[in-house]
Each structure stands twice: as structure tokens, then as C-alpha cells.
Amino acid sequence: MSPVQVLSPTGILNGEFGEMLQEQIRTALETTSQPLLVDCSALTFMDSSGFGHLVVALKLARQQQRDLFLSGLCTQLLMVLQLTGTDKVFRIFESRQECEDSLDAAT
């Protein structure tokens, strides 16, 4: 069994899809006690609305004292996080496997 609950959005993370992802994260927070990983490897672009939803999702996780990780960021997503300084706030992994390995090693 995976040490994390994985969410895998695809395409463009904009207002509409960001809202859907935020709702998926909210549901996962209510239904599992596992840390959450947003595997971004299938995302090609994130606009400011999608970024806002991602930040709100992190706040929701933190309010419940839960971990929310990101992995597989394309150059554009990573650049947005770096420009906003949130690359220091989110725990980012190169890949889903790296995240799972890190969590397995911590237990």
C-alpha cells in the first residue's frame, strides 16, 4: 500500500480545474488519514487561479495538521512557485516514487 493518497490532475490547472482539485483534496482530507501527494507530472500549465486553489488546498491541509506534497512539476509550475516563494512552503519531490521512498524511510 502506498504511504500517500495520490491525486493526479492533468492538463491546465486554471480556475475551473483548480477548484475541482481543491475539492478532491478536501474530500481526501475527510476520507483518509494518509499524507496527500499532488502528482503534477501530467500538468502542462498553471495560471494564477489554479495557483490560488493550490495554496488554499495547502492551507486546508495544514489546518488539519496534514501533509500535502507536490511532485513532478514541469518547468512552468516550478517557476511560478519559485517566483512567489512558495517553493519554500510546499514540500516538492522530483517524482511520486521519490515522495513514497522518503515517507517509507521516515517510518
Side-chain angles (χ1 to χ4, degrees), residues 46-48 51-52 54-55 76-90 92:
M46 176 173 63
D47 69 10
S48 60
F51 171 72
L54 199 57
V55 170
Q76 190 269 335
L77 272 72
L78 186 56
M79 187 183 309
V80 169
L81 296 180
Q82 289 170 337
L83 289 171
T84 59
T86 52
D87 62 319
K88 309 257 187 301
V89 177
F90 284 99
I92 301 169

Side-chain angles (χ1 to χ4, degrees), residues 7-9 19-29 36:
L7 302 165
S8 302
E19 190 172 326
M20 289 171 45
L21 176 61
Q22 185 179 322
E23 190 54 41
Q24 289 174 345
I25 290 170
R26 181 178 275 115
T27 299
L29 288 168
L36 304 179

Side-chain angles (χ1 to χ4, degrees), residues 31-104:
T31 59
T32 183
S33 60
Q34 291 177 290
L36 304 179
L37 170 64
V38 179
D39 181 353
C40 301
S41 58
L43 286 176
T44 56
F45 183 81
M46 176 173 63
D47 69 10
S48 60
S49 296
F51 171 72
H53 286 293
L54 199 57
V55 170
V56 169
L58 177 62
K59 288 180 181 180
L60 290 171
R62 286 189 169 177
Q63 285 172 353
Q64 295 187 26
Q65 300 176 340
R66 301 280 295 285
D67 290 318
L68 175 67
F69 307 118
L70 302 178
S71 71
L73 298 173
C74 70
T75 304
Q76 190 269 335
L77 272 72
L78 186 56
M79 187 183 309
V80 169
L81 296 180
Q82 289 170 337
L83 289 171
T84 59
T86 52
D87 62 319
K88 309 257 187 301
V89 177
F90 284 99
R91 188 151 172 216
I92 301 169
F93 293 91
E94 292 266 334
S95 67
R96 174 182 177 173
Q97 188 64 51
E98 182 183 298
C99 179
E100 290 176 347
D101 291 348
S102 174
L103 292 172
D104 281 339

